[in-house]
Amino acid sequence: MNNEKIIIANWKMKLSLAETLALAENIKTKFQGFSGATVGVCPNYISILEVKEILKGTDIKLGAQDVFWEGAGAYTGEISADMLVEAGCEYVIIGHSERRKFLMVNYEMIHRETKAVLNNGNLVPIVCIGENWDERKTDRRDFVLFDQLQQALSGLDLVGNQQVVIAYEPIWAIGSGTAIEPSEAEYAHKIIKLTLNDMFGMKIVNNNFKIIYGGSISSKNVKGFVGLENLDGMLVGGASLEADEFYKVAKALVK
Ligand code: PGA
């Protein structure tokens, strides 16, 4: 796998269709000539096809914010991996903590979704893990990360160069306006890497996995994360809602 950093915008449910398309246009313009990192955007479902048209001819990747584990059938409200690929998606976020919080998504579901995406083979799953404040405060973070990785990925086979992105998102930092200390992120990423090494072996981990950080990253704090040994990129929420700000975050990471 190449060592390029990956920067993914998660627009959540924050923008209308019109706002999403305007932002996609601005990002397209802003990122003209940008190189050195993979950049992707994850709009809401109803915007995906139109964002795809806007991004046509650019290197910016398209992603979705969720996926269902079945391929097709009577599953009202859900969308399958095949459908996302058909719509032009190359990435999909799985198990975001907001879905865990508001929709009772659990790691058994996250496991099924990840498995479905890997079986599809044309999508890169961005699997979200991360401890909450209580777990952090009581020193349970390491176990939580280990446990979430086990539940999400145990028994899954990676074929060839299939990529998997693990997004470490400490729940208490998301949307808080304050990212965690870079040294703390590096420590957590190390735990994640060691756990993955145990599960898949170092060769596969080096070749197929990326570990990215998410949680209140902005152009102001991103510099502290540049050059961390086990950081392969960022999942960016709030700071991706403005093209200029998102560009600054991406630019800082490729320096
Ligand atoms: P944030 O969101 O950057 O607004 O904290 C990140 C995320 O939830 O992926």
Side-chain angles (χ1 to χ4, degrees):
M1 190 204 279
N2 66 48
N3 288 325
E4 245 187 34
K5 298 268 185 289
I6 176 165
I7 300 129
I8 300 286
N10 176 11
W11 293 342
K12 307 191 180 186
M13 202 183 76
K14 295 213 171 178
L15 305 172
S16 68
L17 172 59
E19 288 165 343
T20 302
L21 302 185
L23 177 57
E25 290 281 5
N26 288 341
I27 285 182
K28 176 183 175 174
T29 309
K30 194 77 212 180
F31 278 82
Q32 255 166 25
F34 177 88
S35 64
T38 304
V39 175
V41 297
C42 299
N44 59 40
Y45 284 140
I46 61 156
S47 309
I48 285 176
L49 286 174
E50 286 186 67
V51 171
K52 178 177 131 188
E53 283 310 305
I54 291 170
L55 298 181
K56 211 177 238 171
T58 76
D59 289 332
I60 301 170
K61 311 285 185 194
L62 190 59
Q65 297 176 17
D66 194 50
V67 63
F68 189 59
W69 55 81
E70 294 291 347
Y75 305 105
T76 304
E78 297 302 328
I79 294 196
S80 71
D82 282 352
M83 293 169 188
L84 293 179
V85 170
E86 198 181 1
C89 291
E90 293 178 69
Y91 290 83
V92 60
I93 298 171
I94 293 180
H96 192 280
S97 62
E98 284 149 12
R99 296 188 62 77
R100 283 186 266 146
K101 179 175 173 190
F102 295 111
L103 293 146
M104 309 304 148
V105 167
N106 59 37
Y107 275 93
E108 190 189 329
M109 294 153 90
I110 293 168
H111 179 89
R112 287 188 189 195
E113 291 170 0
T114 309
K115 191 174 178 181
V117 166
L118 296 181
N119 284 344
N120 174 282
N122 292 308
L123 271 175
V124 175
I126 302 169
V127 181
C128 298
I129 62 171
E131 79 284 0
N132 62 31
W133 176 242
D134 187 52
E135 291 158 344
R136 155 76 167 67
K137 214 171 52 194
T138 53
D139 270 340
R140 280 177 291 154
R141 174 195 43 214
D142 299 8
F143 176 73
V144 167
L145 297 179
F146 170 83
D147 187 45
Q148 291 176 346
L149 284 170
Q150 290 279 337
Q151 289 193 58
L153 303 176
S154 252
L156 298 185
D157 282 330
L158 297 182
V159 181
N161 284 326
Q162 170 71 54
Q163 277 189 57
V164 177
V165 177
I166 304 296
Y168 170 57
E169 298 210 306
I171 297 173
W172 46 283
I174 296 174
S176 69
T178 311
I180 67 172
E181 284 299 316
S183 57
E184 201 173 337
E186 173 60 21
Y187 175 84
H189 284 215
K190 191 93 200 254
I191 297 287
I192 293 167
K193 188 142 190 192
L194 292 174
T195 304
L196 293 172
N197 283 346
D198 278 351
M199 293 175 72
F200 294 94
M202 240 158 86
K203 196 164 161 227
I204 289 184
V205 174
N206 288 335
N207 190 50
N208 300 55
F209 282 87
K210 284 192 190 287
I211 307 170
I212 67 176
Y213 170 82
S216 293
I217 278 298
S218 71
S219 61
K220 301 217 165 37
N221 59 28
V222 66
K223 290 172 195 76
F225 292 80
V226 175
L228 294 182
E229 191 187 336
N230 291 299
L231 182 116
D232 299 313
M234 294 288 180
L235 183 54
V236 188
S240 71
L241 297 172
E242 212 258 300
D244 214 43
E245 173 68 2
F246 185 50
Y247 181 77
K248 281 186 196 155
V249 171
K251 200 72 190 153
L253 276 175
V254 297
K255 270 192 197 145

